[in-house]
Amino acid sequence: MFPLFRAIPLAGLFGLTACGGGSSLGTGSSAVAVAQSLPAPGVTSGTLDFSNYRIGPRDELIVEVFGAPELKREGEVDAAGNLSLPLVGTVVAGGKTPDEVGAAIAAKLRGRYIRDPQVTVNIKKAVGQTVTVDGAVRDPGVFPVLGRMTLQQAIASAKGADDLANLDNVVVFRRVNNQQMAALFSLKQIRAGKSTDPQIYGNDIVVVGENATRRFFKDLASFPSLGSFIPFVL
């Protein structure tokens, strides 16, 4: 019953059976670890760890300066990746971690307004995250995660599963507390309401497996008709 969780190697992720095109996850590798559930990335004591998160456009930040509560500000990163603050001016935030942005703000405050500023930058709202959707989908690619996204919505972003998809073989890769994890889900059972539609987070990778039987017959259709001879040149 899905979702199904096992330790899996990155190489040979989808082990296809010889006859029916069913899939199984390989075993015997520590490259990817899984548990009985796939937790949110960086979960520690019920909160998300954004220490290594790379800030993007439209992310909302909270800036605080120790000992100077009047300098606390909340702001949104603009489309160019810049954050504007009173006294500080414009700071490049796009592509940087919260700690790196804090250091840049402290450098602008140091000496001019505060002797040794200690600046903390927290993520109030992270919208500049992306999910990669690959495999048997109509339009594979990298798509933005705006707000809460589920597995069905992520696949819909790639224009849905294609005709060769094995809906019982959808793998989600996720990095949790510096540990690469993966889980196998059945999109068929999710659509039928028999399984929960799991939440997708920024930096997740979704891979939709192929149905081996459908792939075989599609490839077969590209060959000449059975029983027909074609020229062969040595």
Side-chain angles (χ1 to χ4, degrees):
M1 184 172 183
F2 293 89
L4 174 66
F5 306 91
R6 299 179 190 170
I8 60 176
L10 289 177
L13 171 64
F14 302 103
L16 297 176
T17 61
C19 300
S23 65
S24 62
L25 295 177
T27 59
S29 172
S30 59
V32 177
V34 295
Q36 291 303 310
S37 61
L38 194 59
V43 171
T44 304
S45 300
T47 60
L48 292 180
D49 177 12
F50 283 107
S51 58
N52 294 317
Y53 172 71
R54 296 290 171 176
I55 296 169
R58 296 182 58 195
D59 283 353
E60 295 181 15
L61 310 180
I62 302 174
V63 178
E64 297 180 273
V65 181
F66 180 76
E70 68 278 5
L71 295 181
K72 180 179 178 179
R73 292 290 185 275
E74 296 184 12
E76 181 179 293
V77 179
D78 65 22
N82 297 319
L83 177 68
S84 297
L85 297 169
L87 301 182
V88 175
T90 300
V91 176
V92 177
K96 296 183 177 181
T97 66
D99 285 347
E100 289 171 342
V101 175
I105 295 172
K108 291 199 172 190
L109 289 174
R110 185 172 291 112
R112 299 173 59 190
Y113 304 103
I114 301 176
R115 177 177 297 178
D116 186 21
Q118 299 179 40
V119 180
T120 301
V121 176
N122 291 308
I123 308 294
K124 180 180 180 181
K125 183 178 181 181
V127 297
Q129 302 183 78
T130 59
V131 58
T132 300
V133 184
D134 202 357
V137 292
R138 299 185 188 281
D139 185 25
V142 179
F143 305 94
V145 178
L146 300 176
R148 189 181 188 280
M149 174 181 279
T150 67
L151 179 58
Q152 286 194 91
Q153 291 169 333
I155 294 174
S157 297
K159 297 184 180 178
D162 66 20
D163 294 337
L164 298 178
N166 180 350
L167 299 183
D168 286 326
N169 190 4
V170 179
V171 177
V172 177
F173 292 93
R174 179 174 302 157
R175 194 161 191 83
V176 180
N177 294 328
N178 295 319
Q179 172 67 63
Q180 187 74 1
M181 302 185 71
L184 176 66
F185 297 91
S186 169
L187 188 60
K188 183 185 296 183
Q189 297 217 13
I190 291 171
R191 287 176 174 176
K194 297 180 180 179
S195 294
T196 301
D197 192 7
Q199 184 170 352
I200 296 299
Y201 295 88
N203 300 319
D204 280 359
I205 299 175
V206 177
V207 182
V208 179
E210 283 191 347
N211 183 298
T213 302
R214 291 179 183 176
R215 165 58 69 183
F216 172 78
F217 282 109
K218 181 177 181 179
D219 291 344
L220 188 65
S222 65
F223 283 85
S225 300
L226 294 177
S228 299
F229 290 93
I230 60 175
F232 182 72
V233 179
L234 295 176

